[in-house]
Structures are given as C-alpha cells and as structure tokens.
Amino acid sequence: MAVGIARVGDEVDADRLGALIAELDAGAERWAVTSLEDRAGLLRRTHAAVSRAAADWALTAARIKGLDSSSPLVGEEWLAGPYAALTSLARLASTLDDLAAGHSPLRGLRFHAAPGGRRAVDVLPLDATEGLLLHGFRAEVWFPPGTTDQRAMLTAGLGALRVGESGGVGLVLGAGNITAIPPLDVLYGLVAHNRAAILKLNPVLADMAAPFEAAFAPLVEAGLLRIVQGGADVGGFLAHAPGVRHVHITGSVVSHDALVWGTGEEAAARRAAGTPALETPVTSELGGASPIIVVPGEWTAAELAFQAEHVATMRLHNGGYNCIAGQVLLLSTDWPQREAFLEQVRRALAAAPQRPAWYPGSADRSAAALAAYPAAERLGADGGRLLIDVGGEDAGAMGTTEWFAPVLGVVDVPGTGKAFLDEAVRVANDELTGTLGANVLIRPDVRRSLGAGFGRAIAALRYGTIAINAWTGLGFLLAATPWGAFPGGTREDVGSGIGVVHNALLIDGAERAVVHGPFRPFPASVLAGEPALSPRPPWFVTARTAATTGRLLTGFAGGRAPWLLPAALAAAFRG
C-alpha cells in the first residue's frame, strides 16, 4: 500500500524510512534476477491495474487543478496521466519481449542519415495503431555523430541487458504539475536501470497517493515501489539516506541546486570548493524558456488562425505550468504577416477556456513578469494571461527566467528564409535559458525551399526534443522518444537537466528526439497535398471534445474494447 510519513514532532521518522529503503533494496535484488519474461509479465499486470484506476486518476487530477468535471480541459488529465502511463507500460513490456527473444528493440526500424554526419532511427509510428491515431505525425531519434546503426542496435536494452545486476534503491522526487511524470520516472528507473524506487510525491499532488496506490499496486506488492508524502525536509533526508544510490528530480534549477549544493553562503562555498552537499548521483528533468520559432512564409488566414491556436496551446496547456511550455515566440521583423499572426495569437490566448491559476506561486511569478515588463498585455476574462512583445530589444528576463505561469513573450529576429532561421537558432541557443525543447513552425513550401539548410539549422539547435510543426509536448507523451535536456548538463551547470526518461525502446546514448507534424489539420492538409488525416489534436486547448477523446483513448490503451478507438477518432474529429 502507499506509505505516509510518520513524524515525531517536526522530525522525519528516520526508522520508518530506513525500513522502507531496506524493503526496496531487497526488492531490487529480486528484480535483478527476475527473467525478462517475468519482468514483462509484471509490467502487464501493472498495465491492467492502471487501466482499472484510470478514471479515479484523471478525475482526482482534475479536482486538484480546480477543473469542472464537464470541462474539455479534463482531457489533459486523461492524456497526460493514465494514458501516458498505459502506453509506456505497453511499450516497455514489448521491449522486454523483444530482448527476451534475443532481438534488439530497434530490430526492423528504419535507420537513416541525419544532418551533421549523424544517424537516426524512426520511432513513430511503431505500429498500425499509432499510424492511425497520429496520422501525419512522425518522430525520430538522432544519435551523436560517430554512432553506427550496429552500435545503436546492440546497446538498446540498457538495464535489461544486465540481468543479475541490481541498481539498488532510487529516490524519485516527483513533479507537481503533470501526474504521469512521477510514475513514468519510477518505471524508467526500474526497467532501464534495475532500480526500485521510493517516490516522494510533490505536496501539490498529495491527493494522487490513493490513485497511484491502486494503479501501481503490483509494483508495491513486488517490493519495487514505496510512495511517501512530505515536503523538502523529507526529500532532503531521503536523498542523503544510507541505501539510496540514485536521485531523480523533476522541477526547477533552483530545486536541483538546493539539493546538490545547499543554499545561501554554504552553496557558494561548496561550489567554489567543488564539494557538493550531495554526493549521490543525480539525474534531472528541469525547465527553461522554450522557443517557438515561426519561419516567415505566405500563410492563409486559416493557417494563421490554426497555428495561433497551436502557440496558445504550447503556452496554456495545463494552465501554463509545464516545463516544456512554449515561452518565447521568435518572429521575423521582415515578415509582412507578423502583425496579422500576432493578432491571431492574441485572440487565441484570450479565447482559450478559463481555468484557475492552480499552481502555487503563479500570481507572484506573473506579478514579477509585469514588474519586468510593465507594458505587457493582459488577456483573458480575468486578465491573467500576459503577452509581452519585447520587440527587437534583448530578451532579458523573458529569455533567462522560466515563468511557469501563463506568460508568453515575443522577440523579434531580422530576416527571412535561411537568414532568419539561422539567427533564430542562434537566439534560441545563446539567449534563452534551458535546452529541454524547441518548437519550429514552417510552411512546407518554405521548408522545401531551404533544402539541406533546414536540416543543418535543426541540427544546430541544442535541445533535447525539437518539434517541427508540432509541440514538444507530444515528444513527452510518446513512449518511445527519450525525454530530457540536450546532453551536456553537469552538476555545476545543470541547465535543463541530466539524463533522459521515458525512452521505452531503451535506446542508449540518444542525442535528441525530433518530432514532425502536419502544418495544417485535416481536411486542409489533404487539400494542400499534405498526407495527414489528423484533425485538430486533442491536446489543443481549443479542442471542444478533448475530455471525451482523452477518456476513450485511455480506455482503448487500457485494452478495454477495440471499438473505443474509432469512437475516440470520431470524437477528435468533432472537436
């Protein structure tokens, strides 16, 4: 069962936590010698438990975030909650099946050249169902220059290639915004690194303990998971506890650095001396000021409106409380449609469904943005959405602060075509904090006109996930794509984090994921010669049937009935 924290006065119950760590260490030893077939079986039993708990999970998350149960926005809680967990569990189990049969998880996938002497492998779609659900979308994983197809094939499998080797106990400091994040981090540690996990829930998601207890009961019963509650003191105690061999944190750079280096004068002294407060290995998924690069072209009125909704979604999904939220819109000063597009963005931000500012500290962060940019436009019925047109000036705080609130900045970049794109890439790399995800919107004819220069520009973007005519949030949702910052983060300069999660094909040494989507929704896509049957995606904040679509897709992913898939597709088209 889920385990709460017992306290004596204001002190953490060290004996109780120590006993939990011992139980998990024994569980990790058992897991290490468990056959791959039996590991896959446990994941499938967990998949069934998640399916049974899915409604409680999604609706509890909606209540935490103050959503009316009839709101289309509840669809976010289905898709970024139980649906993401179900698809990840299914793909991880399939990967273990492949390895048990002596096959690489990448067997049969298409490898091809990527810019800069790289190799890449296509990971979406992996089957006919994905091809139908996400028709017109595709995703690939790029490897660093010098990686061969053979090496990628042979090393895919990670911890599952090391049966008999225990990774011990890992501490997962859970995120407080997206409910799939904590369990997905647990699952990745288990399968990729042979680690049992003690999951400390973020206090914001404290009420998720009961749904998680039911959903992941098979892992708890196997001694591979314990769920605890508590604040920073509990997290700090566990990070330093004997028997904890690894820590994974999802949050902010501030939280990471406080954990690793301490705070105040102590932190400065430790940094100077190179002696961190925490010696235990730490991986992390942190945020940043994610760019949305809009490459100039001749857009129709419908394209301007659709992509403005796309931008609004990148900023307002989950209320704006996403590490991967689009924050800085890079527009060309030489684009004749700049003002027309910005007006559509303004309308989309204002018209998106209202929701509570549910994440703690949102008002203070918005106030800080207003203080930094007094001319900010206040949009929406409550004026809580900020559009800040920085213009041609230095991005300043807009580029160096992750607002984690409904704040969208606009920064001007000169030029058109390749000149614009190259300068926008430079700004994204050099003037915006973080390397988690970057978005690029480009008309297909403009992309073709850039030829190989477009690929070189994408290769130059130093981001862990790049979405072209898509949102990097889709890269988070996909089970197969590695999720994390661009390689290179260190304890001293962590950026958007160290390491990856998700990665259900257990790819070793990926450099980045690149997601491609259709520039236009169906039917405009087909009429324009773009082979994509996708309607307005259900993760759009403007999708009117998102709650129904999310519930039906989750039911289908849970294996309840095949007819739920066409029903979900029909709901998506109605949206």
Side-chain angles (χ1 to χ4, degrees):
M1 64 177 181
V3 184
I5 291 298
R7 294 173 179 272
V8 179
D10 292 329
E11 296 182 3
V12 174
D13 188 335
D15 291 340
R16 185 173 183 181
L17 292 176
L20 296 182
I21 293 169
E23 293 170 9
L24 289 168
D25 194 54
E29 291 291 339
R30 291 191 299 272
W31 175 261
V33 295
T34 299
S35 69
L36 296 181
E37 293 90 343
D38 288 345
R39 294 184 189 193
L42 178 59
L43 294 187
R44 290 193 167 96
R45 292 195 296 278
T46 306
H47 182 277
V50 171
S51 181
R52 291 190 294 271
D56 188 29
W57 178 336
L59 297 180
T60 299
R63 287 196 299 274
I64 290 171
K65 299 177 182 183
L67 296 176
D68 186 281
S69 60
S70 63
S71 171
L73 295 173
V74 175
E76 296 177 359
E77 304 314 317
W78 285 100
L79 292 177
Y83 176 82
L86 288 166
T87 55
S88 186
L89 280 161
R91 185 58 61 189
L92 284 168
S94 178
T95 292
L96 292 178
D97 289 342
D98 287 337
L99 291 165
H103 304 312
S104 170
L106 305 184
R107 184 182 72 146
L109 301 186
R110 188 178 78 92
F111 283 82
H112 56 89
R118 295 170 173 84
R119 297 295 292 172
V121 62
D122 292 337
V123 299
L124 175 76
L126 290 175
D127 53 40
T129 298
E130 283 190 343
L132 182 61
L133 279 175
L134 292 167
H135 193 276
F137 290 86
R138 61 186 180 90
E140 54 192 343
V141 174
W142 290 14
F143 296 93
T147 303
T148 64
D149 299 355
Q150 183 182 32
R151 183 194 182 282
M153 294 273 288
L154 290 174
T155 58
L158 299 176
L161 298 176
R162 301 188 295 275
V163 173
E165 179 182 309
S166 171
V169 180
L171 168 64
V172 173
L173 297 172
N177 56 339
I178 295 292
T179 58
I181 293 176
L184 290 178
D185 293 347
V186 167
L187 288 170
Y188 190 66
L190 179 66
V191 180
H193 300 293
N194 296 339
R195 282 197 294 262
I198 186 162
L199 167 61
K200 191 199 80 67
L201 295 180
N202 188 299
V204 178
L205 297 184
D207 289 349
M208 290 303 301
F212 284 169
E213 174 184 353
F216 298 96
L219 299 184
V220 175
E221 292 161 4
L224 297 170
L225 172 64
R226 295 292 183 264
I227 303 172
V228 301
Q229 303 272 22
D233 56 340
V234 174
F237 175 88
L238 287 169
H240 292 271
V244 170
R245 290 167 54 180
H246 181 271
V247 178
H248 181 79
I249 179 173
T250 301
S252 68
V253 173
V254 172
S255 297
H256 170 275
D257 286 354
L259 179 71
V260 172
W261 298 102
T263 56
E265 294 182 3
E266 174 202 2
R270 287 188 174 279
R271 280 183 180 273
T275 56
L278 179 65
E279 295 287 353
T280 305
V282 179
T283 55
S284 49
E285 190 261 86
L286 313 173
S290 294
I292 309 169
I293 299 172
V294 181
V295 183
E298 294 184 23
W299 295 17
T300 67
E303 290 163 359
L304 291 168
F306 176 74
Q307 292 297 348
E309 290 181 34
H310 203 173
V311 169
T313 294
M314 296 179 196
R315 178 65 268 181
L316 298 181
H317 181 277
N318 198 37
Y321 311 117
N322 285 336
C323 293
I324 199 58
Q327 180 169 301
V328 180
L329 190 60
L330 298 177
L331 297 181
S332 169
T333 52
D334 298 306
W335 187 25
Q337 293 179 294
R338 179 193 185 278
E339 294 306 318
F341 181 63
L342 197 53
E343 177 58 27
Q344 290 295 330
V345 170
R346 185 177 290 110
R347 292 179 182 179
L349 291 172
Q354 290 297 306
R355 62 190 306 161
W358 64 273
Y359 201 85
S362 177
D364 290 341
R365 290 188 295 276
S366 293
L370 279 169
Y373 299 99
E377 296 181 63
R378 306 188 64 161
L379 303 171
D382 61 356
R385 296 161 184 174
L386 303 182
L387 180 64
I388 301 172
D389 191 348
V390 177
E393 298 180 8
D394 185 275
M398 185 55 61
T400 57
T401 305
E402 181 192 7
W403 294 114
F404 215 68
V407 177
L408 178 67
V410 183
V411 173
D412 283 342
V413 176
T416 59
K418 186 176 183 299
F420 166 83
L421 183 56
D422 288 347
E423 178 61 10
V425 166
R426 187 201 64 75
V427 171
N429 284 339
D430 299 343
E431 298 182 18
L432 306 186
T433 190
T435 63
L436 188 59
N439 312 274
V440 180
L441 303 179
I442 182 168
R443 214 168 185 271
D445 60 325
V446 176
R447 178 172 177 171
R448 287 191 297 270
S449 73
L450 292 175
F454 181 76
R456 288 193 294 269
I458 297 302
L461 266 175
R462 298 191 296 270
Y463 285 82
T465 298
I466 299 171
I468 302 165
N469 292 335
W471 175 36
T472 44
L474 178 57
F476 168 90
L477 188 64
L478 295 173
T481 45
W483 180 253
F486 192 77
T490 64
R491 283 175 177 247
E492 293 75 16
D493 184 12
V494 71
S496 285
I498 300 170
V500 301
V501 289
H502 303 188
N503 188 29
L505 296 174
L506 303 182
I507 293 170
D508 183 35
E511 182 187 63
R512 72 184 88 193
V514 181
V515 180
H516 305 258
F519 181 71
R520 315 164 181 86
F522 179 84
S525 55
V526 173
L527 295 174
E530 194 174 13
L533 301 181
S534 298
R536 176 180 281 100
W539 56 84
F540 267 40
V541 292
T542 50
R544 298 187 300 274
T545 59
T548 301
T549 303
R551 175 175 55 80
L552 292 171
L553 283 174
T554 303
F556 174 76
R560 286 185 226 152
W563 62 263
L564 291 173
L565 179 58
L569 292 172
F573 275 95
R574 290 197 304 274

